[in-house]
Amino acid sequence: MGKELAKTYDPKGLEDRIYQNWMEKGYFHAEVNPEKKPFTIVIPPPNVTGQLHMGHALDETMQDILIRFKRMQGYETLWQPGTDHAAIATEVKVTEMLKSRGIDKDEIGREEFLKYAWAWKEEYGGKITNQLKKLGASADWDRERFTMDEGCSKAVEEVFIRLYEKGYIYRGSRIINWCPVCQTSISDAEVIHEDQDGYFWHINYPVVGEPGQFVEIATTRPETLLGDTAVAVNPEDERYTHLVGKMLELPLTGRVIPVIADEYVDKEFGTGCVKITPAHDPNDFEVGKRHSLPEINILNDDATINELGGKYAGMDRYEARKAVVADLEELGLLVKVVPHSHSVGTHDRCKTTVEPMIKPQWFVRMKEMAQPAIEALKRGKIQAPGADLASEIAREEQNADALAAGADEKHFRQVDSEEKTSDEAANDAMSAAGTSDFEGTLTFVPDRFDKIYLHWLENIKDWCISRQLWWGHRIPAYYCDDCGEIVVAREMPKICPKCGRGAAPADGASNLGTAHFTQDPDTLDTWFSSALWPFSTLGWPEKTLEMEYFYPTDVLVTGYDIIFFWVIRMVFSGIEQTGKVPFHHVLIHGLVRDSQGRKMSKSLGNGIDPLEIIEQYGADALRLTLITGNAPGNDMRFYMERVEASRNFANKVWNASRFIMMNLDKAKEDELPSGMDLSALTAADKWILSKVNDLAKDVTDNMDRYELGIAVQKVYDFIWEEFCDWYIEMVKPRLYNEEDTSKAAALWTLKTVLTNALKLLHPFMPFITEEIFCTLQGTVDGQESCKEAAPCAAEGYGNGSAGCAGSSASGYAMPEVAESIMISSWPEWKEEWSFKEDEKAIETIKEAVRAIRNVRTGMNVPPVKKAQVFVVSEDASIRAIFENGKVFFATLGYAGEVHVQADKNGISDDAVSAVFPGAVIYMPFAELVDVEKELARLQKEEKRLMGELVRVNGMLGNEKFVSRAPQAKIDEERAKLAKYTQMMEQVKAQLARLCR
């Protein structure tokens, strides 16, 4: 007795056990293997503070699907896992933890704080990793990395120093985005602009020496006038040309400021006069540079007014705003207040309104590194020698227009992942876009996201990379305590290169003494280290075998919301540091929204915990739900009904597998051949074998194009409809008939098709397919567990089983044996499994069955009531089809007996008919219906419908009802009239037939 499947599918009882077995067997681990082609994905590292949410679940499921698919194809697959140190989030968490213990972060100091931070990371940092395992993630956990581990930290330091030495990193005072709550600078990409209701305060600035003369400005932030250093007008604005060069009294400050002319000012906006506050507005900062204006910072780091704010010093920015407005009104300088909706920058993490401020920070110069990143995408657009880039761009624009008009995702076609740009095309692209010396191209799937990528790169500003935090990679810059010289180095310098402090004295010279350096207190932006993730995780800057073999990676899977945060930075960092584009494709997915289409958020309380779904329905059901109907780049809505449908599908697969295994288990030894002569198969066997053969080809093509939603839908439809609803029902008579000589062929086909269907389903639903696959092998082979994989491979791409399954040249099919489905061979299309004539024959029988079922349904004939079925066709080939398929056709068509003939001879005149291409089905009416009972039922229905028609006609004929009732109610009654009229016609027709 072989191993059996449990009677009821219970994911709780198998998912943890199966995953642990996979881990113990080392199936996820990748090694440098010259005999195989590598396939690499790096996981977008989740925050170490994070908890699994639906976005993670979708992202990780898509990656796992691709990895499992390629692993089964025989590639050496590396899915590189790891977590991000999440500087701001972690620092906030640890600070809050310390506060709960009565410990002040500033009192204990940096070093002690970091000890607490590392301890917190060790205790809580693995939480999300364990949650990913619950999802079934087959990442190489032996290689798990952390953005602050020793290797990644070394890479970060190396990149900083290289960029600094190249002149791409510099320190300067520029306008940055400052978060008053997190008390750190943040990059432009971390600022979310939200429309908020506010006001325009119109304020008069008196003209010096001209009593009664004013310049009226309008501002949304009146408190910032304390830092104004000029008022600007457009040089072509005739209203104000006479004021240029004059001085104005700056209210509330006792200072005077000039009127300047600058083309930045829009004559048509507001009053045409703009207050210039260089220290608190990025545009004003640039104007200030052009006119050499002073820069007055009036804010402390917590957004309170500093000592330069006079009597407002110490006030919160919003408190100061009220006070400034009140004082202006008292002075008679407040002209008016106008409601105004405007865009306000907020920190994406804490949602605090960001303050633009001038601060000395570290920046990456972006212009030079952006160009190769742009070129990489343009290279990827060239499909063949001589391809027209202009037509490609025009096509992109058409696609974007179609998307805006609501076109389906199928409108767009992605570049086949197997297509390669020729050397000639690549050279043409380089000539057109530049001559950067790097390898590789970049392609977005779908390609409409090219525009977002290019927009950011073509308008990119220098990247502020310093953060005022303790948790993170500390900037390797050191300041000489004596002369202030900045030294960027891998370790603290001993000698100051400027003042010479610490150098050994020359003969006769006095000793310069010991040099004292202080390291810069700031840390690097978290995204600086994340940008190096594709190569830092493989050992760079060392020349490791892993770096040589697995890099560049193949595909990055990520959401469209971090294209500018992460994708762009990885591309330019990869090209700059390694000379290679870090990945070939970027597969973009959308957001997972709730059933109403809203973004899931804590504030709305509409978040759905993936772990709760897994606990209730299983990981496979969640994975199938997330991928079904999923199109690259599109948002999806999450419905619990879909999760239940996914669980129902799992039950369907489970029960069908149990049925097959029970029949295999009770079969006689001679009915379980180790191989099968394909010529011994029936038409039904060949039909389903041909179907699963074509399915393998279609699904592989979809997977290669990253059309995961389309691929899984095809597998789903095949298993549910073709295999379970049709083929299994077709073969039941053969299985139950001990005398049927084709029983062995039926059993072989059931096992073979189930095995291949499970393989195609495995990347999407790994747990249930593994349990069934191994149990099926144990049942067939009479063992409690699967056999060891056979030691064979094809062309260096084998995984221990590739090339073992299928058919020999003589048409004798042999089975495949593997100890786990995840290391078995991916099904491939086989010429010898293509039976198009048999497919056509079975599809003809299916048409006839559908026609019979439609007639019986229309007449309310229960399935248990059998009737003779006459198949009449002048076409001998059609008659042959039904003669050969009589046994299962009778079962599927609820036939007591099947007659196949060329004419209507012997068929009663009252027989019910159904037409399908090339033939007509007849069924004796009296065998379908109990005439007396049906007559009574129809007469009762006729009476009911008559009453309904009288009621509806009465209402619609009543002028008061028609004139007073809501139009929706009138339309509802008219629809009922049409429905009841049609039903009455059908009842009368059936009564006429019975009464003949």
Side-chain angles (χ1 to χ4, degrees), residues 298-313:
I298 62 163
L299 291 175
N300 295 313
D301 288 350
D302 61 356
T304 57
I305 306 298
N306 64 23
E307 70 280 1
L308 298 180
K311 73 173 188 176
Y312 307 100

Side-chain angles (χ1 to χ4, degrees), residues 372 375-380 421 426 430 437-443 552 575 579-584:
E375 183 182 329
L377 185 69
K378 290 182 177 180
R379 284 186 187 181
T421 304
M430 289 177 67
D437 184 19
F438 66 90
E439 297 178 18
T441 62
L442 184 68
T443 303
I575 293 173
K580 298 177 181 179
V581 180
F583 26 73
H584 307 308

Side-chain angles (χ1 to χ4, degrees), residues 534-572:
F535 53 92
S536 66
T537 53
L538 297 174
W540 189 94
E542 305 301 327
K543 294 182 179 180
T544 65
L545 292 175
E546 285 81 3
M547 185 70 187
E548 182 69 24
Y549 183 68
F550 290 113
Y551 186 86
T553 67
D554 290 271
V555 58
L556 176 75
V557 181
T558 191
Y560 58 67
D561 52 338
I562 60 170
I563 290 175
F564 41 84
F565 278 112
W566 191 42
V567 178
I568 285 172
R569 290 165 176 168
M570 279 192 289
V571 175
F572 69 65

